[in-house]
């Protein structure tokens, strides 16, 4: 099992697109400020650390051709020339005509309902057939954006909503919303057991020290704050075992966060191929077999669906929210278990 697809949602690379040079006029009111600070003021669509990297890479020069230094002081009205480097990552991947369920699209963003089984980003063992390959085909403009506009991710077998940025300014805006925790993300999950009716899980996470392919609740060096809240929507009994449908809300976006937090509490997701502690595996197999063998009923992994996504539109500044129901296999399993549609239908805006 490869974990390269599962990267924390707000870890972003420094490669930036568009191989061109732009002119930036530093105003006189920046006199006495450090160059990197002044440049960040004039180019707010880019982070200061990114601009510092460009300066160190000799991508920023003065009118006379001299390369700028980070600690240079602005002496008055000055003109700088900034070379925006290409994103080498995108050149490594090819567009592929892979069907996508596009919920919404405009000049700056696209909302995708990712199917279960689709890897988000190419990595070892998955160099093609990914969401990134599909985005480069459906939205050629994404070739000019790092990671083809991907700003947050879902595990391979998790279905649901993802937002894609079609330009670098939009991508920076969305990443900053993720970092400030103003993006609303709600999931539906089927778990073994009967959890508390509601709970906030605040448990740091990092690599599992006993298995580097897994994540775990840990306070070890390198662990990161992780916060998940949930509430139980309905609990049912299957072969004398409790199963619950819960609504999860993310405050942070760590790798495998919902799966790890719920398993840590003793309520693992149904059919999770990795985090199976305390799951009745034989009963789980019987339950999955009951769905039948048609392709639309097959469930390859954990029962987790990103059903609602809300954020501030980077251009209009409007507060927007989208939703999508779970895939057919998820719906059929809930029906087989006797879970009522009305208990989760409020999530469909």
């Amino acid at each position: 099992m490869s974990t390269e697809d599962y990267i924390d949602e707000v870890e972003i690379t420094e490669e930036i697109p568009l191989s061109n040079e732009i002119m930036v006029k530093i105003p006189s009111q920046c006199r006495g400020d450090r160059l990197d600070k002044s440049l960040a003021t004039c180019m707010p669509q880019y982070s200061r650390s990114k601009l510092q990297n460009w300066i160190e890479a000799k991508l920023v020069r003065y009118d006379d051709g001299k390369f700028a230094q980070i600690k240079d002081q602005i002496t008055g009205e000055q003109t700088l020339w900034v070379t925006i480097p290409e994103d080498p990552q995108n050149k490594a991947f090819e567009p592929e005509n892979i069907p996508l369920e596009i919920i919404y699209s405009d000049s700056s963003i696209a909302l995708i309902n990712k199917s279960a089984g689709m890897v988000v980003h190419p990595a070892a063992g998955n160099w093609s057939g990914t969401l990134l390959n599909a985005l480069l085909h459906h939205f050629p403009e994404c070739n000019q954006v790092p990671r083809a506009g991907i700003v947050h991710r879902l595990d391979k077998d998790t279905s649901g909503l993802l937002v894609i940025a079609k330009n670098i300014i939009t991508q920076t805006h969305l990443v900053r919303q993720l970092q400030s925790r103003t993006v609303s993300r709600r999931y539906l999950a089927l778990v073994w057991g009967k959890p508390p009716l509601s709970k906030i899980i605040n448990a740091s996470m990092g690599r599992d020290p006993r298995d580097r392919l897994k994540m775990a609740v840990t306070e070890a060096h390198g662990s990161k704050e992780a916060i998940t809240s949930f509430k139980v929507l309905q609990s049912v009994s299957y072969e004398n075992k409790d199963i619950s449908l819960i609504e999860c809300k993310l405050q942070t976006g760590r790798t495998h966060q919902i799966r790890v937090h719920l398993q840590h509490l003793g309520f693992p997701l149904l059919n999770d191929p990795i985090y199976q502690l305390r799951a009745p595996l034989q009963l789980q197999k019987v339950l999955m077999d009951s769905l039948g063998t048609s392709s639309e009923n097959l469930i390859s992994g954990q029962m987790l669906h990103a059903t609602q996504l809300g954020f501030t539109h980077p251009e209009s500044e409007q507060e927007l929210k989208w939703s999508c129901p779970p895939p057919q296999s998820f719906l059929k399993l809930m029906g087989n278990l006797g879970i009522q549609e009305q208990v989760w239908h409020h999530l469909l805006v």
Side-chain angles (χ1 to χ4, degrees):
M1 197 281 295
S2 172
T3 60
E4 284 84 349
D5 182 45
Y6 312 134
I7 298 175
D8 282 358
E9 295 173 329
V10 295
E11 288 184 357
I12 58 174
T13 59
E14 292 299 326
E15 294 90 351
I16 297 298
L18 308 176
S19 181
N20 63 357
E21 190 174 52
I22 62 174
M23 181 180 69
V24 179
K25 288 188 175 292
I26 307 296
S28 58
Q29 55 262 39
C30 291
R31 187 194 310 269
D33 288 342
R34 276 184 21 161
L35 182 135
D36 62 326
K37 179 182 177 182
S38 301
L39 196 58
T41 299
C42 296
M43 302 178 71
Q45 67 269 43
Y46 304 115
S47 67
R48 187 169 175 179
S49 62
K50 200 178 302 297
L51 294 170
Q52 289 173 338
N53 286 346
W54 294 355
I55 296 169
E56 291 177 343
K58 299 187 183 303
L59 297 176
V60 180
R61 63 178 179 84
Y62 295 103
D63 251 348
D64 61 5
K66 180 183 176 182
F67 291 117
Q69 303 293 320
I70 289 175
K71 295 183 179 180
D72 287 351
Q73 281 197 330
I74 298 300
T75 57
E77 290 190 1
Q78 290 174 275
T79 299
L80 295 173
W81 293 88
V82 181
T83 299
I84 312 293
E86 290 183 345
D87 181 0
Q89 181 171 245
N90 286 347
K91 292 183 178 297
F93 310 124
E94 296 295 329
E96 295 181 35
N97 187 6
I98 302 168
L100 287 179
E101 184 178 348
I102 301 168
I103 302 295
Y104 173 84
S105 178
D106 62 24
S107 61
S108 59
I109 63 171
L111 270 291
I112 308 297
N113 182 16
K114 186 188 83 69
S115 59
M118 174 178 274
V119 172
V120 170
H121 194 282
N126 293 290
W127 290 115
S128 63
T130 71
L131 176 65
L132 185 146
N133 298 113
L135 292 173
L136 293 177
H137 171 82
H138 291 278
F139 307 111
E141 63 269 35
C142 285
N143 188 54
Q144 300 298 310
V145 190
R147 301 171 318 283
I150 296 168
V151 294
H152 64 127
R153 311 194 184 192
L154 296 175
D155 297 346
K156 175 183 176 182
D157 291 322
T158 298
S159 58
L161 290 172
L162 285 166
V163 61
I164 305 300
K166 294 185 179 181
N167 57 68
I168 183 60
I169 296 175
T170 295
Q171 189 178 51
T172 301
H173 195 293
L174 290 172
V175 167
R176 285 174 176 164
Q177 289 187 59
L178 285 163
Q179 290 170 330
S180 63
R181 303 181 184 179
T182 59
V183 176
S184 173
R185 291 165 288 175
R186 296 179 186 271
Y187 293 70
L188 286 173
L190 279 170
V191 301
W192 288 104
K194 187 180 285 187
L197 291 180
S198 64
K199 188 174 180 65
I200 297 175
I201 309 169
N202 189 342
S204 298
M205 290 176 48
R207 288 289 172 192
D208 188 328
R210 294 165 295 184
D211 184 347
R212 301 296 294 174
L213 294 180
K214 297 171 65 175
M215 305 299 291
V217 169
T218 176
E219 295 292 340
H221 177 72
S223 63
K224 297 179 180 180
E225 181 185 35
I227 304 174
T228 307
S229 61
F230 72 81
K231 62 179 179 180
V232 176
L233 302 179
Q234 185 177 352
S235 295
V236 296
S237 179
Y238 179 77
E239 300 293 335
N240 297 318
K241 292 287 186 181
D242 290 321
I243 294 176
S244 298
L245 176 69
I246 63 175
E247 174 189 336
C248 298
K249 182 179 180 181
L250 289 181
Q251 291 190 37
T252 57
R254 305 305 177 202
T255 302
H256 298 180
Q257 179 174 315
I258 292 174
R259 299 162 68 187
V260 170
H261 271 173
L262 291 171
Q263 184 265 355
H264 179 70
L265 287 185
F267 307 105
L269 270 67
L270 268 66
N271 209 43
D272 193 319
I274 303 173
Y275 303 100
Q276 300 176 337
L277 183 65
R278 302 192 182 108
L281 299 182
Q282 283 188 321
L283 188 56
Q284 180 168 274
K285 184 179 185 307
V286 172
L287 178 59
M288 295 304 158
D289 287 346
S290 71
L291 292 178
T293 57
S294 65
S295 58
E296 68 175 11
N297 292 334
L298 293 178
I299 299 175
S300 57
Q302 65 278 352
M303 300 303 301
L304 184 62
H305 174 72
T307 194
Q308 192 183 102
L309 181 62
F311 54 87
T312 302
H313 192 285
E315 287 191 4
S316 69
E317 298 294 331
Q318 287 184 294
E319 295 294 328
L320 299 174
K321 190 175 291 184
W322 287 268
S323 61
C324 62
Q328 184 62 38
S329 56
F330 203 127
L331 292 172
K332 184 172 181 179
L333 181 57
M334 288 195 293
N336 288 0
L337 290 169
I339 292 175
Q340 303 300 309
E341 180 178 337
Q342 58 262 33
V343 303
W344 57 268
H345 202 264
H346 65 281
L347 292 171
L348 301 183
V349 294

